[in-house]
């Protein structure tokens, strides 16, 4: 099973994916977390992407596709993988489709978190105080939202056209409430 947790910055993808990993054993693959790790360790990749991330822009498709390609086989072992933060452009989605097709796999489902625009910035600014993520400033948040609308939203249309199952989940309320909604949807998926 391979799925995507989808949504704008601040929609709670990372929080919910971590819970799904704990609850279902589905491997949480977060490209944002991987890149932040590379930046923190000062690797060659981290040096290349640090400034791009700090500005709220997307790192180049070929770079991130290589990151995912290197980790996907391991992540898919066992229950399967839940992708968080990838694919973020239609080109990334096409690259993912090819990677999966090469293994005789295809995308099983998408959980799309729906949160009103006005809540997102407030959540991210709050997270800035709690977690201190350097890209959670008002200016950088605006750029991440812009990239989401310009490039990322189209990924949903790409998969809608392919007939992939997309469950849109109300992402408002407490993390527990959202998690229960997702769990109900994912149960529906695994039972066909
Ligand atoms: P959020 O969804 O809250 O913006 P992420 O942790 O998913 O946060 O991503 C943080 C940053 O990492 C992005 O703004 C971008 O610079 C970079 N990034 C993560 N995943 C990708 C991707 N698939 N393609 C391009 N850039 C990415």
């Amino acid at each position: 099973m391979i799925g995507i947790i989808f949504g704008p910055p601040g929609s709670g993808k990372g929080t919910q994916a971590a819970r799904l990993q704990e609850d279902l054993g589905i491997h949480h693959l977060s490209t944002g977390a991987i890149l932040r790790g590379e930046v923190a360790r000062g690797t060659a990749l981290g040096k290349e992407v640090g400034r791009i991330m700090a500005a709220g822009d997307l790192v180049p498709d070929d770079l991130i596709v290589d990151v995912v390609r290197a980790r996907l086989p391991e992540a898919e072992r066992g229950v399967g993988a839940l992708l968080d933060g990838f694919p973020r452009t239609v080109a990334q989605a096409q690259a993912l489709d090819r990677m999966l097709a090469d293994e005789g796999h295809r995308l099983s489902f998408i959980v799309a978190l729906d949160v009103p625009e006005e809540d997102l910035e407030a959540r991210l600014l709050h997270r800035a105080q709690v977690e201190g993520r350097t890209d959670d400033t008002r200016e950088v948040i605006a750029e991440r939202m812009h990239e989401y609308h310009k490039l990322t939203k189209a990924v949903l249309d790409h998969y809608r056209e392919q007939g992939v199952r997309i469950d849109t989940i109300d992402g408002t309320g407490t993390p527990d409430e959202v998690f229960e909604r997702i769990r109900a949807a994912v149960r529906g998926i695994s039972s066909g």
Side-chain angles (χ1 to χ4, degrees):
M1 188 161 73
I2 171 136
I4 296 173
I5 187 153
F6 189 88
S11 58
K13 300 182 298 285
T15 305
Q16 297 298 333
R19 289 187 177 207
L20 285 163
Q21 170 165 294
E22 203 166 299
D23 193 64
L24 302 174
I26 187 164
H27 187 108
H28 173 201
L29 196 100
S30 161
T31 48
I34 292 167
L35 293 177
R36 280 188 289 280
E38 298 281 337
V39 172
R41 291 200 309 280
T43 64
L45 176 61
K47 292 205 175 87
E48 205 167 337
V49 301
R51 217 170 316 151
I52 300 173
M53 292 174 72
D57 294 323
L58 296 186
V59 311
D61 288 332
D62 53 340
L63 266 181
I64 198 75
V65 166
D66 284 348
V67 164
V68 173
R69 185 180 288 115
R71 287 172 172 80
L72 198 59
E74 168 76 33
E76 278 183 297
R77 253 176 237 147
V79 179
L82 184 65
L83 303 176
D84 161 14
F86 181 91
R88 241 179 169 96
T89 64
V90 171
Q92 292 179 19
Q94 289 164 340
L96 173 66
D97 297 345
R98 282 193 297 272
M99 276 185 245
L100 293 176
D102 285 347
E103 304 168 358
H105 294 176
R106 63 191 296 270
L107 195 66
S108 326
F109 67 91
I110 299 178
V111 168
L113 292 176
D114 186 31
V115 176
E117 188 89 35
E118 59 267 28
D119 293 1
L120 297 171
E121 190 193 42
R123 283 187 181 189
L124 291 168
L125 290 173
H126 174 75
R127 183 172 74 186
Q129 291 170 346
V130 180
E131 293 177 18
R133 238 176 80 171
T134 49
D135 59 350
D136 285 341
T137 64
R138 210 178 281 277
E139 191 193 355
V140 177
I141 291 167
E143 178 58 18
R144 285 155 62 203
M145 292 298 175
H146 177 74
E147 295 282 77
Y148 174 77
H149 288 291
K150 192 173 68 174
L151 295 167
T152 306
K153 256 190 348 196
V155 169
L156 267 194
D157 301 324
H158 169 83
Y159 284 117
R160 202 171 283 123
E161 280 160 23
Q162 285 190 16
V164 172
R165 177 179 171 142
I166 301 173
D167 284 275
T168 301
I169 305 288
D170 173 6
T172 62
T174 66
D176 285 344
E177 285 164 352
V178 178
F179 182 60
E180 282 314 315
R181 292 179 202 130
I182 296 177
R183 200 154 57 165
V186 172
R187 270 202 208 103
I189 295 159
S190 46
S191 63

